[in-house]
Amino acid sequence: MANFSVFISTKDDISYAEEPIKQALQVSDDIVIVDSSNPENYKKLMDVCRRYKQIRIYWVAPLGHREPLFYYALNKCKYTWVLHLNAFERMNESLIKDIHNIVSKATADIIKIDSTHYDLDGKDPIFTSQNIFLINKERVKVLGYIHYGFDLDRSKISTLEHKYNVKHLSGYKPFIEGEGYKNMNHYMPAEKYIWRKPYGKKKYAIYLVLKWIYLGSKRLFSLSREPLQSRINVIRFMIAHDKARLNSFYANPDEIPHQLKVQQEIRKVGIIDYLHLYTDQDIRRINNYSKRTGLSGSKLFVDLVENAYREHNKQTQRS
């Protein structure tokens, strides 16, 4: 039976995190939790986990997204294969039963698992995506990009059949029902450094429309067993997401040249290398900076990126 680690991301969602922690204890003897909660919720998490010697918890100042911390977390894991979950994700019984066998037979670098998104009450399925991964950490490059933590283009990928599924309590229902991304401004500043294309707003808008047509038609007319309404919801969600992204990126035209320069620098090496997020010492540096400045979340992330960019420019000028 193949051993593997489970890495769980948490942030002030401890009541939800208890279920994936219980599931992780059923399948693994090595569980790493990277937490960014406030002191009160961090204490709650410690109280939940302290009696389990299989669990190790590492606190990191919140950066707005979990992906920049993937390299650090994977290095804390004991085994080569790692399953990553967050507090809102629950494995189904088939996956819990067969996951050891799946890992022992794996030939790919990354195994994708279907994730069915539900509203927070867990009753109404909204759509299905494939954003849960089993990762062979020795064969996959970790980039740390927001929503794309790994180098999928250079990895051998396989996909589990749909009977192996993860339930994701996403709370996406307000977006699907027309509220858009009113509540997503807390991380949009972080996304602008990763996503924006190096051309003007009009060309980018055309690109997005063509993407919606292509991906929307592909999803709508797919032969998957996904219900039609679920497929329509994915398309609506994708359009709402990109419209918010477009509006956010170009809110201040004066920032465009600078943002593009920063993005080009990040693309060369990835977020992990750019911000040097590898070791305990690096994490202490981030935590101390957050404490000193009072920054957290996407504001902290953007500030760290700006500092790294300025430091890179200084080194370039000196050389």
Side-chain angles (χ1 to χ4, degrees), residues 141-143 145 265-274:
K141 181 173 176 57
V142 186
L143 298 173
Y145 292 149
E265 291 294 329
I266 291 174
R267 279 182 172 175
K268 293 176 184 177
V269 295
I271 286 292
I272 308 295
D273 288 349
Y274 200 73

Side-chain angles (χ1 to χ4, degrees), residues 156-202:
K156 184 179 179 183
I157 300 172
S158 65
T159 303
L160 293 182
E161 55 187 301
H162 186 70
K163 76 173 184 177
Y164 301 116
N165 196 281
V166 171
K167 186 176 189 177
H168 186 121
L169 306 181
S170 60
Y172 280 145
K173 205 168 186 178
F175 308 137
I176 300 303
E177 292 176 350
E179 287 298 310
Y181 262 60
K182 292 178 183 177
N183 299 321
M184 301 303 279
N185 291 330
H186 67 282
Y187 80 66
M188 279 301 173
E191 281 207 344
K192 71 185 180 184
Y193 287 107
I194 310 304
W195 285 101
R196 223 236 337 272
K197 305 295 176 182
Y199 35 70
K201 183 173 183 178
K202 288 183 179 179

Side-chain angles (χ1 to χ4, degrees), residues 11-244:
K11 182 185 180 299
D12 298 325
D13 40 26
I14 310 309
S15 61
Y16 287 101
E18 290 187 40
E19 182 62 25
I21 289 171
K22 288 177 184 176
Q23 290 188 334
L25 289 165
Q26 292 180 53
V27 297
S28 178
D29 64 358
D30 182 56
I31 299 159
V32 169
I33 299 177
V34 174
D35 180 66
S36 297
S37 298
N38 62 36
E40 181 184 352
N41 284 314
Y42 177 70
K43 183 180 181 301
K44 288 180 182 177
L45 179 65
M46 294 296 291
D47 290 341
V48 169
C49 299
R50 69 172 73 254
R51 65 182 180 272
Y52 301 109
K53 64 180 181 180
Q54 309 94 306
I55 301 177
R56 286 163 289 132
I57 301 174
Y58 302 91
W59 190 87
V60 184
L63 295 176
H65 270 70
R66 53 189 173 166
E67 288 86 352
L69 300 172
F70 276 6
Y71 185 94
Y72 175 73
L74 292 181
N75 272 358
K76 293 296 183 183
C77 294
K78 181 166 66 172
Y79 297 116
T80 300
W81 279 96
V82 180
L83 172 66
H84 175 237
L85 298 171
N86 68 32
F88 298 97
E89 292 163 345
R90 290 96 173 85
M91 294 180 281
N92 70 358
E93 288 301 320
S94 295
L95 184 57
I96 292 172
K97 180 183 175 183
D98 293 344
I99 192 165
H100 286 281
N101 193 40
I102 291 166
V103 171
S104 66
K105 294 180 178 180
T107 58
D109 307 326
I110 294 175
I111 301 174
K112 286 186 175 183
I113 305 170
D114 279 358
S115 171
T116 302
H117 293 249
Y118 288 74
D119 207 38
L120 287 175
D121 58 13
K123 296 178 181 178
D124 298 321
I126 301 172
F127 63 86
T128 299
S129 63
Q130 290 177 338
N131 57 359
I132 309 297
F133 300 125
L134 267 164
I135 309 114
N136 185 316
K137 68 178 186 179
E138 294 181 356
R139 299 205 299 252
V140 173
K141 181 173 176 57
V142 186
L143 298 173
Y145 292 149
I146 293 169
H147 292 321
Y148 291 90
F150 310 103
D151 189 349
L152 302 181
D153 294 333
R154 293 177 176 82
S155 302
K156 184 179 179 183
I157 300 172
S158 65
T159 303
L160 293 182
E161 55 187 301
H162 186 70
K163 76 173 184 177
Y164 301 116
N165 196 281
V166 171
K167 186 176 189 177
H168 186 121
L169 306 181
S170 60
Y172 280 145
K173 205 168 186 178
F175 308 137
I176 300 303
E177 292 176 350
E179 287 298 310
Y181 262 60
K182 292 178 183 177
N183 299 321
M184 301 303 279
N185 291 330
H186 67 282
Y187 80 66
M188 279 301 173
E191 281 207 344
K192 71 185 180 184
Y193 287 107
I194 310 304
W195 285 101
R196 223 236 337 272
K197 305 295 176 182
Y199 35 70
K201 183 173 183 178
K202 288 183 179 179
K203 289 182 180 178
Y204 186 48
I206 293 171
Y207 158 79
L208 288 178
V209 170
L210 292 175
K211 187 184 88 167
W212 297 339
I213 293 171
Y214 171 70
L215 293 180
S217 61
K218 186 176 178 182
R219 187 91 190 197
L220 191 60
F221 299 109
S222 70
L223 297 177
S224 71
R225 289 167 293 179
E226 221 178 307
L228 178 61
Q229 186 59 50
S230 176
R231 283 178 256 169
I232 292 172
N233 284 343
V234 176
I235 298 166
R236 292 171 63 188
F237 178 75
M238 175 179 67
I239 292 173
H241 189 285
D242 284 339
K243 283 171 68 178

